[in-house]
Amino acid sequence: MNAPGPIPPKILATGGAGYIGSHVVIALLERGFDVVVLDDYSNSHEEAARRINRLSRGRRARFLRGDVCNAATLEALFRAHRFDAVVHFAGLKAVADSVARPEHYYGVNIAGAACLLAAMARHGVERLVFSSSATVYGLADTVPIPETAPLRPANPYGRTKHMIETMLADVARARPGSRTVMLRYFNPVGAHPSGLIGEDPVGEPANLFPLIARSVQGGGRPLSVFGTDYDTPDGTCIRDYIHVEDLAEGHVAALDKLLATDLARGEALPVNLGVGRGVSVREAIAAFERVSGQQVRTVEAPRRPGDVAECVADPARAMKLLNWHPRRDLDAMCRDMWRWRLLNPDGYRGREVLATAADEMPPIAPVPAGEAQQTFRDAVRG
């Protein structure tokens, strides 16, 4: 009789059905972690949860509907599960919306983090990976931007991330056993290569690539290029785009470090996740046109409030400390995003959800990208 294997670490992923969270949950399951997801589906979809478990090669996550701002919900969750670590994605994330509704962003993002940290403290959970953002840097003095750069967020969304990072640093000083990594994302793009999981924002999209796809699929509505008079080579904003699959691998690397070593013990360590190369809006449009064969009609528009001209990562710390390296280029980001959009032109809302209890559905194995259409049909049939 074989001896039982080691018990896998149990991870709580708040907001794990969202765009970033869903890809990270798949990566964690494939890595062998036991994953519990808490999501209120305010900016995500139950269908994403179902598809996650179809792509996870036999290991399935448990999905629970709930609000991270609800202390009673968190208390019940932490009583029911003994977590080894938490990955915190839950929160609002649109820059322009945060400028229009700052009180909403402060209320949700700050309160959610505070409630989660209180629950972790009550139940002795010391390891945390926080979903932060490069918006904490604001208008940087130098590019590429290292983690040591001054933090001057230029919009309420970025300020909520900065405030939560400050909160995490204070908690680390108060609890010397805590271990926290704050992953400062640059600009996630792309989708799972199967075409089953991708970015499907609720309401008006705010990020460039969903807007590009909408302009092509939305009956010829031109893409607004917000600002053409920036101090950049072609006048448009420059961003560091990173494939969401590379971003997911960065979370796995951070958790591996937190669980295996004394990394960040008694401190909250910021780590950039970016490629280290900038791409302008016009260059991104050209890449999408090259990969998709579609023409993108554009119209010039004023700058959006809160945007900065250039934001590019210095990813050296992640490469050295986490042994993480981005592996996918801009063409792969465009190709995977476009496959997702072709297979799901209306996002997750394009078909009736067959089951809301995702962990009751049998998984399917992922297939090469060229077979994504058949994979999608199999998933629809259930």
Side-chain angles (χ1 to χ4, degrees):
M1 181 176 178
N2 294 330
I7 298 174
K10 181 176 285 189
I11 309 300
L12 170 62
T14 68
Y19 174 46
I20 307 300
S22 61
H23 289 82
V24 174
V25 168
I26 291 173
L28 293 174
L29 292 170
E30 291 180 346
R31 177 67 174 73
F33 290 103
D34 183 5
V35 183
V36 176
V37 175
L38 178 70
D39 203 302
D40 67 358
Y41 299 103
S42 60
N43 194 32
S44 58
H45 304 271
E46 291 184 9
E47 177 63 10
R50 177 178 177 274
R51 295 186 189 185
I52 287 169
N53 280 339
R54 287 186 163 277
L55 290 167
S56 58
R57 298 181 181 178
R59 185 179 293 277
R60 292 179 289 177
R62 282 162 285 187
F63 287 86
L64 304 171
R65 180 187 289 273
D67 185 353
V68 74
C69 295
N70 188 309
T73 295
L74 290 176
E75 181 62 22
L77 181 61
F78 277 81
R79 283 182 178 273
H81 300 277
R82 186 177 180 85
F83 295 113
D84 296 285
V86 175
V87 187
H88 181 41
F89 302 103
L92 303 172
K93 64 176 185 176
V95 168
D97 188 40
S98 78
V99 174
R101 300 191 301 159
E103 70 289 342
H104 191 46
Y105 274 68
Y106 289 118
V108 172
N109 291 2
I110 304 300
C115 285
L116 177 63
L117 290 171
M120 291 176 64
R122 287 195 303 272
H123 293 273
V125 181
E126 300 284 0
R127 298 174 178 89
L128 172 68
V129 175
F130 172 55
S131 170
S132 191
S133 168
T135 56
V136 298
Y137 295 117
L139 182 60
D141 295 330
T142 60
V143 176
I145 306 170
E147 290 86 353
T148 54
L151 303 185
R152 297 185 293 244
N155 53 70
Y157 166 67
R159 282 189 277 275
T160 67
K161 292 294 187 180
H162 185 198
M163 290 177 183
I164 295 169
E165 287 196 4
T166 302
M167 189 188 312
L168 292 173
D170 289 339
V171 169
R173 283 189 288 270
R175 296 168 58 192
S178 68
R179 306 178 189 184
T180 300
V181 173
M182 306 180 298
L183 295 178
R184 293 175 179 167
Y185 309 161
F186 278 67
N187 292 78
V189 177
H192 192 275
S194 68
L196 289 177
I197 300 291
E199 186 170 12
D200 183 20
V202 174
E204 189 75 6
N207 298 332
L208 175 61
F209 280 90
L211 290 169
I212 290 175
R214 188 187 67 173
S215 73
V216 173
Q217 293 180 308
R221 177 169 35 172
L223 171 73
S224 294
V225 178
F226 296 106
T228 59
D229 58 348
Y230 286 99
D231 186 17
T232 61
D234 66 16
T236 64
C237 287
I238 291 176
R239 296 291 183 265
D240 185 334
Y241 293 102
I242 176 173
H243 198 295
V244 67
E245 291 280 280
D246 284 326
L247 196 70
E249 291 171 4
H251 288 75
V252 176
L255 276 173
D256 281 343
K257 277 289 186 181
L258 285 176
L259 293 168
T261 72
D262 285 344
L263 173 67
R265 189 177 184 90
E267 65 173 317
L269 182 70
V271 177
N272 288 339
L273 286 185
V275 174
R277 294 187 299 275
V279 175
S280 75
V281 172
R282 296 196 190 280
E283 289 171 335
I285 293 168
F288 175 81
E289 291 180 329
R290 180 176 64 251
V291 168
S292 69
Q294 305 292 314
Q295 182 177 5
V296 180
R297 293 193 305 117
T298 63
V299 60
E300 295 184 3
R303 298 182 184 188
R304 293 186 301 187
D307 276 348
V308 297
E310 187 171 4
C311 189
V312 178
D314 177 354
R317 178 176 289 178
M319 294 177 178
K320 180 178 180 180
L321 201 62
L322 304 182
N323 193 28
W324 170 87
H325 299 270
R327 301 187 293 116
R328 299 159 181 89
D329 62 14
L330 183 62
D331 281 6
M333 300 176 208
C334 293
R335 183 169 54 249
D336 290 339
M337 182 275 290
W338 186 231
R339 181 185 301 111
W340 154 256
R341 293 294 307 186
L342 286 174
L343 297 181
N344 306 269
D346 297 313
Y348 295 114
R349 296 173 293 274
R351 53 177 290 273
E352 181 181 356
V353 177
L354 298 180
T356 58
D359 57 350
E360 295 177 4
M361 302 302 295
I364 60 173
V367 297
E371 302 173 29
Q373 180 68 57
Q374 187 61 46
T375 301
F376 179 74
R377 289 171 180 161
D378 290 343
V380 170
R381 284 197 296 267

